[in-house]
PDB file of all heavy atoms in Angstrom:
ATOM      1  N   ASP A   4    -179.130  36.213  35.266  1.00  0.00           N
ATOM      2  CA  ASP A   4    -179.319  34.778  35.022  1.00  0.00           C
ATOM      3  C   ASP A   4    -180.752  34.418  34.858  1.00  0.00           C
ATOM      4  O   ASP A   4    -181.162  33.565  34.028  1.00  0.00           O
ATOM      5  CB  ASP A   4    -178.719  33.979  36.170  1.00  0.00           C
ATOM      6  CG  ASP A   4    -177.192  33.990  36.197  1.00  0.00           C
ATOM      7  OD1 ASP A   4    -176.612  34.277  35.168  1.00  0.00           O
ATOM      8  OD2 ASP A   4    -176.617  33.706  37.258  1.00  0.00           O
ATOM      9  N   GLU A   5    -181.642  35.051  35.668  1.00  0.00           N
ATOM     10  CA  GLU A   5    -183.087  34.760  35.590  1.00  0.00           C
ATOM     11  C   GLU A   5    -183.649  35.101  34.242  1.00  0.00           C
ATOM     12  O   GLU A   5    -184.487  34.377  33.672  1.00  0.00           O
ATOM     13  CB  GLU A   5    -183.842  35.521  36.719  1.00  0.00           C
ATOM     14  CG  GLU A   5    -183.478  35.068  38.102  1.00  0.00           C
ATOM     15  CD  GLU A   5    -182.166  35.614  38.634  1.00  0.00           C
ATOM     16  OE1 GLU A   5    -181.666  36.620  38.102  1.00  0.00           O
ATOM     17  OE2 GLU A   5    -181.661  35.018  39.601  1.00  0.00           O
ATOM     18  N   GLU A   6    -183.265  36.262  33.710  1.00  0.00           N
ATOM     19  CA  GLU A   6    -183.747  36.670  32.426  1.00  0.00           C
ATOM     20  C   GLU A   6    -183.242  35.773  31.290  1.00  0.00           C
ATOM     21  O   GLU A   6    -184.013  35.371  30.420  1.00  0.00           O
ATOM     22  CB  GLU A   6    -183.316  38.126  32.136  1.00  0.00           C
ATOM     23  CG  GLU A   6    -184.159  38.826  31.133  1.00  0.00           C
ATOM     24  CD  GLU A   6    -183.862  40.340  31.107  1.00  0.00           C
ATOM     25  OE1 GLU A   6    -182.961  40.823  31.813  1.00  0.00           O
ATOM     26  OE2 GLU A   6    -184.565  41.003  30.331  1.00  0.00           O
ATOM     27  N   LEU A   7    -181.952  35.372  31.329  1.00  0.00           N
ATOM     28  CA  LEU A   7    -181.423  34.452  30.379  1.00  0.00           C
ATOM     29  C   LEU A   7    -182.131  33.093  30.435  1.00  0.00           C
ATOM     30  O   LEU A   7    -182.488  32.519  29.424  1.00  0.00           O
ATOM     31  CB  LEU A   7    -179.940  34.274  30.594  1.00  0.00           C
ATOM     32  CG  LEU A   7    -179.033  35.449  30.137  1.00  0.00           C
ATOM     33  CD1 LEU A   7    -177.622  35.254  30.679  1.00  0.00           C
ATOM     34  CD2 LEU A   7    -179.007  35.549  28.625  1.00  0.00           C
ATOM     35  N   ASP A   8    -182.395  32.620  31.663  1.00  0.00           N
ATOM     36  CA  ASP A   8    -183.053  31.357  31.815  1.00  0.00           C
ATOM     37  C   ASP A   8    -184.504  31.435  31.258  1.00  0.00           C
ATOM     38  O   ASP A   8    -184.947  30.462  30.625  1.00  0.00           O
ATOM     39  CB  ASP A   8    -183.093  30.933  33.294  1.00  0.00           C
ATOM     40  CG  ASP A   8    -183.511  29.485  33.492  1.00  0.00           C
ATOM     41  OD1 ASP A   8    -182.989  28.592  32.727  1.00  0.00           O
ATOM     42  OD2 ASP A   8    -184.342  29.232  34.315  1.00  0.00           O
ATOM     43  N   ARG A   9    -185.193  32.508  31.484  1.00  0.00           N
ATOM     44  CA  ARG A   9    -186.526  32.685  30.960  1.00  0.00           C
ATOM     45  C   ARG A   9    -186.502  32.669  29.441  1.00  0.00           C
ATOM     46  O   ARG A   9    -187.294  31.977  28.781  1.00  0.00           O
ATOM     47  CB  ARG A   9    -187.111  34.018  31.442  1.00  0.00           C
ATOM     48  CG  ARG A   9    -188.584  34.204  31.009  1.00  0.00           C
ATOM     49  CD  ARG A   9    -189.196  35.395  31.698  1.00  0.00           C
ATOM     50  NE  ARG A   9    -188.384  36.572  31.764  1.00  0.00           N
ATOM     51  CZ  ARG A   9    -188.360  37.541  30.837  1.00  0.00           C
ATOM     52  NH1 ARG A   9    -189.150  37.472  29.774  1.00  0.00           N
ATOM     53  NH2 ARG A   9    -187.582  38.571  30.984  1.00  0.00           N
ATOM     54  N   TYR A  10    -185.559  33.375  28.812  1.00  0.00           N
ATOM     55  CA  TYR A  10    -185.431  33.325  27.336  1.00  0.00           C
ATOM     56  C   TYR A  10    -185.147  31.922  26.818  1.00  0.00           C
ATOM     57  O   TYR A  10    -185.674  31.528  25.835  1.00  0.00           O
ATOM     58  CB  TYR A  10    -184.303  34.294  26.882  1.00  0.00           C
ATOM     59  CG  TYR A  10    -184.608  35.783  27.014  1.00  0.00           C
ATOM     60  CD1 TYR A  10    -183.568  36.663  27.171  1.00  0.00           C
ATOM     61  CD2 TYR A  10    -185.892  36.270  26.934  1.00  0.00           C
ATOM     62  CE1 TYR A  10    -183.826  38.021  27.275  1.00  0.00           C
ATOM     63  CE2 TYR A  10    -186.185  37.616  27.012  1.00  0.00           C
ATOM     64  CZ  TYR A  10    -185.120  38.484  27.180  1.00  0.00           C
ATOM     65  OH  TYR A  10    -185.382  39.842  27.295  1.00  0.00           O
ATOM     66  N   ARG A  11    -184.276  31.198  27.549  1.00  0.00           N
ATOM     67  CA  ARG A  11    -183.886  29.853  27.125  1.00  0.00           C
ATOM     68  C   ARG A  11    -185.091  28.923  27.237  1.00  0.00           C
ATOM     69  O   ARG A  11    -185.405  28.173  26.272  1.00  0.00           O
ATOM     70  CB  ARG A  11    -182.726  29.310  27.984  1.00  0.00           C
ATOM     71  CG  ARG A  11    -182.275  27.937  27.562  1.00  0.00           C
ATOM     72  CD  ARG A  11    -181.274  27.372  28.553  1.00  0.00           C
ATOM     73  NE  ARG A  11    -181.848  27.227  29.908  1.00  0.00           N
ATOM     74  CZ  ARG A  11    -182.604  26.178  30.294  1.00  0.00           C
ATOM     75  NH1 ARG A  11    -182.897  25.233  29.432  1.00  0.00           N
ATOM     76  NH2 ARG A  11    -183.085  26.138  31.492  1.00  0.00           N
ATOM     77  N   VAL A  12    -185.766  28.894  28.369  1.00  0.00           N
ATOM     78  CA  VAL A  12    -186.862  27.982  28.609  1.00  0.00           C
ATOM     79  C   VAL A  12    -188.019  28.261  27.642  1.00  0.00           C
ATOM     80  O   VAL A  12    -188.623  27.324  27.097  1.00  0.00           O
ATOM     81  CB  VAL A  12    -187.322  28.098  30.070  1.00  0.00           C
ATOM     82  CG1 VAL A  12    -188.652  27.335  30.273  1.00  0.00           C
ATOM     83  CG2 VAL A  12    -186.270  27.531  31.025  1.00  0.00           C
ATOM     84  N   GLU A  13    -188.340  29.535  27.408  1.00  0.00           N
ATOM     85  CA  GLU A  13    -189.444  29.892  26.524  1.00  0.00           C
ATOM     86  C   GLU A  13    -189.079  29.784  25.052  1.00  0.00           C
ATOM     87  O   GLU A  13    -189.959  29.838  24.174  1.00  0.00           O
ATOM     88  CB  GLU A  13    -189.903  31.289  26.841  1.00  0.00           C
ATOM     89  CG  GLU A  13    -190.537  31.436  28.196  1.00  0.00           C
ATOM     90  CD  GLU A  13    -190.911  32.868  28.556  1.00  0.00           C
ATOM     91  OE1 GLU A  13    -190.591  33.807  27.746  1.00  0.00           O
ATOM     92  OE2 GLU A  13    -191.451  33.093  29.659  1.00  0.00           O
ATOM     93  N   GLY A  14    -187.747  29.678  24.748  1.00  0.00           N
ATOM     94  CA  GLY A  14    -187.307  29.619  23.363  1.00  0.00           C
ATOM     95  C   GLY A  14    -187.498  30.908  22.634  1.00  0.00           C
ATOM     96  O   GLY A  14    -187.695  30.947  21.425  1.00  0.00           O
ATOM     97  N   THR A  15    -187.410  32.020  23.384  1.00  0.00           N
ATOM     98  CA  THR A  15    -187.592  33.357  22.835  1.00  0.00           C
ATOM     99  C   THR A  15    -186.474  33.733  21.882  1.00  0.00           C
ATOM    100  O   THR A  15    -185.288  33.636  22.268  1.00  0.00           O
ATOM    101  CB  THR A  15    -187.694  34.394  23.979  1.00  0.00           C
ATOM    102  OG1 THR A  15    -188.717  33.992  24.845  1.00  0.00           O
ATOM    103  CG2 THR A  15    -187.965  35.782  23.423  1.00  0.00           C
TER     104      THR A  15
END
Side-chain angles (χ1 to χ4, degrees):
D4 287 340
E5 293 79 18
E6 202 169 4
L7 285 168
D8 192 46
R9 183 170 44 92
Y10 289 152
R11 182 189 62 82
V12 170
E13 294 174 358
T15 304

